[in-house]
Amino acid sequence: MIIDSSTLNQTTAYKLLIGSILPRAIGWVSTQSRDGVANLAPISFFTAVGRMPPIISLSLQPRSDGVTLKDTFVNIRDTGEFVVNMATLEQAHHMHRSAFEFDSDIDEFAAIGLEKDPSVVVRPPRVKGAPIALECKLERIIPMGDVDNVVFGEVVRFHIRDDVYLAGGRIDTGALQAVGRLAAEYTLVHNAFTTPLDDQLLTSLRGRRAGRLDGHEDGYSPIDSKEWSASGATR
């Protein structure tokens, strides 16, 4: 199948992107409004883009109406500060619930039952229990197309749980139970390998489909259902 992207609308292009770029890291972003209201949202268009200084990027779409800017973007634009928290299996459902569209005057930590930890340099709080959190200051915003925006942030403080910070500055990734994003579902990072792998093992894995942790049948997908996005912003 060869698809001309110029023939796609916003939703169909989004479906192809999220099914093609796998797995996607989740930036669980906490912000604070000018009035001091805490906001929390998972962003899967998230990656590292620079080392010195350390820079990360977030791509942010509007709310489900296709026009209104998300609180995450407004807060970053207005205050210049945010925190990226790591999403793990233990807090995955809280992370999913934080994708719902709350009113701007609602403290989302309180709404979904999460505790806060104070940051050191920036005002937005961290997610208590997250093993890693990155305090960030806004570096620049680049509009993308008609409604999307890419946010670049400089990491000014790394918070790393003591037991996963190893000698030589290495992080014990195998201890984190980090959660990533597939097309419209989540995936648990629970295996690792280096190459080359044994041919017999490769043969045994060839064509094998991914297992499920949630009890749904093989082939299930929440795309085009009410479970696709907690915010509805993908429709």
Side-chain angles (χ1 to χ4, degrees):
M1 176 66 69
I2 300 175
I3 300 171
D4 181 350
S5 62
S6 67
T7 67
L8 304 176
N9 62 29
Q10 182 173 293
T11 299
T12 52
Y14 184 78
K15 286 181 182 180
L16 295 181
L17 284 171
I18 64 175
S20 301
I21 302 171
L22 304 174
R24 302 191 306 282
I26 298 172
W28 199 9
V29 181
S30 49
T31 60
Q32 188 167 291
S33 71
R34 284 177 172 172
D35 296 328
V37 179
N39 178 271
L40 192 58
I43 308 297
S44 68
F45 281 23
F46 157 64
T47 193
V49 294
R51 297 179 298 165
M52 290 298 292
I55 302 287
I56 61 91
S57 70
L58 308 166
S59 294
L60 297 167
Q61 296 83 37
R63 285 188 174 228
S64 56
D65 62 10
V67 178
T68 306
L69 297 173
K70 288 183 177 178
D71 291 335
T72 298
F73 176 76
V74 172
N75 293 346
I76 293 173
R77 181 198 64 191
D78 290 352
T79 69
E81 299 178 339
F82 61 100
V83 178
V84 178
N85 306 272
M86 174 175 281
T88 62
L89 185 62
E90 183 178 2
Q91 295 182 320
H93 188 54
H94 288 91
M95 178 267 295
H96 180 71
R97 290 178 62 210
S98 70
F100 281 83
E101 291 185 347
F102 293 89
D103 291 338
S104 299
D105 59 351
I106 299 296
D107 183 317
E108 295 192 21
F109 282 80
I112 64 175
L114 280 174
E115 295 183 63
K116 303 170 184 172
D117 269 339
S119 297
V120 174
V121 177
V122 302
R123 287 165 291 181
R126 297 176 290 127
V127 173
K128 187 177 183 65
I132 295 176
L134 314 177
E135 293 188 34
C136 300
K137 291 196 172 184
L138 177 63
E139 198 271 341
R140 72 184 70 181
I141 295 172
I142 299 178
M144 192 63 56
D146 295 330
V147 294
D148 297 348
N149 289 279
V150 182
V151 169
F152 292 82
E154 178 180 348
V155 180
V156 293
R157 291 292 186 278
F158 290 85
H159 293 261
I160 303 170
R161 199 175 67 204
D162 289 346
D163 65 294
V164 299
Y165 186 71
L166 305 178
R170 187 168 68 87
I171 293 174
D172 185 5
T173 56
L176 294 171
Q177 292 195 319
V179 170
R181 193 73 157 139
L182 299 180
E185 301 156 291
Y186 301 105
T187 186
L188 172 65
V189 180
H190 64 349
N191 60 63
F193 65 90
T194 58
T195 60
L197 291 172
D198 181 76
D199 286 343
Q200 191 172 16
L201 175 63
L202 291 174
T203 299
S204 71
L205 294 175
R206 188 172 295 123
R208 182 183 297 183
R209 295 178 62 82
R212 299 199 66 95
L213 302 180
D214 56 12
H216 285 297
E217 294 183 359
D218 180 41
Y220 168 82
S221 173
I223 285 183
D224 289 329
S225 78
K226 64 180 182 181
E227 298 177 359
W228 179 8
S229 167
S231 68
T234 54
R235 300 307 302 272

